[in-house]
Amino acid sequence: MIDVLVELDADSRLLSFEAAGHANHGIKGYDIVCAAVTILLRTTVRVLSSIEADVRAEKRGNLQFRVLRSDDEQAERLRYAAEFLWLGITSLQEEYPQALQCKKIQR
């Protein structure tokens, strides 16, 4: 199972996300759930590339992203990234509940 944790601030801006595990829904390298989660996470990281962040992918099946610094100009981008990621991940969870579990924390 893939576990995804998304952390938002009080204004619904993305602070961090963490994903770990494997969906085990298909053959390694051909798993549609793993591929979908990977695309959502990588796209979010790329969209936020102008924001100072710590990104770690120490091993396959593990990706962490944490905003280190942002300003008011980047607030809307972080809000949209949070919404995009959450809607994408929860849509996958609804379709593949045995392969993906997601949790959101709002501070």
Side-chain angles (χ1 to χ4, degrees):
M1 177 171 287
I2 301 172
D3 290 305
V4 178
L5 175 64
V6 177
E7 182 183 12
L8 311 177
D9 70 8
D11 293 322
S12 298
R13 293 178 290 209
L14 183 65
L15 292 175
S16 69
F17 68 75
E18 187 174 325
H22 294 282
N24 298 316
H25 188 71
I27 300 169
K28 187 175 180 178
Y30 297 93
D31 188 318
I32 192 169
V33 179
C34 281
V37 170
T38 299
I39 291 299
L40 284 167
L41 298 176
R42 286 184 182 177
T43 300
T44 302
V45 169
R46 296 216 36 167
V47 164
L48 297 176
S49 64
S50 66
I51 292 172
E52 188 176 339
D54 180 28
V55 180
R56 297 178 188 207
E58 286 133 7
K59 60 183 179 177
R60 192 175 179 143
N62 186 316
L63 180 60
Q64 298 172 353
F65 173 90
R66 176 164 299 282
V67 174
L68 298 176
R69 189 174 313 135
S70 66
D71 58 33
D72 289 340
E73 290 180 26
Q74 298 164 325
E76 198 55 40
R77 178 175 270 181
L78 288 166
R79 265 189 220 97
Y80 181 78
E83 183 178 5
F84 168 84
L85 182 58
W86 186 250
L87 289 174
I89 292 293
T90 55
S91 293
L92 284 169
Q93 179 181 273
E94 289 170 11
E95 194 166 344
Y96 302 99
Q98 73 288 359
L100 178 64
Q101 181 176 16
C102 50
K103 181 179 179 184
K104 177 168 49 174
I105 298 171
Q106 191 151 9
R107 305 223 182 258

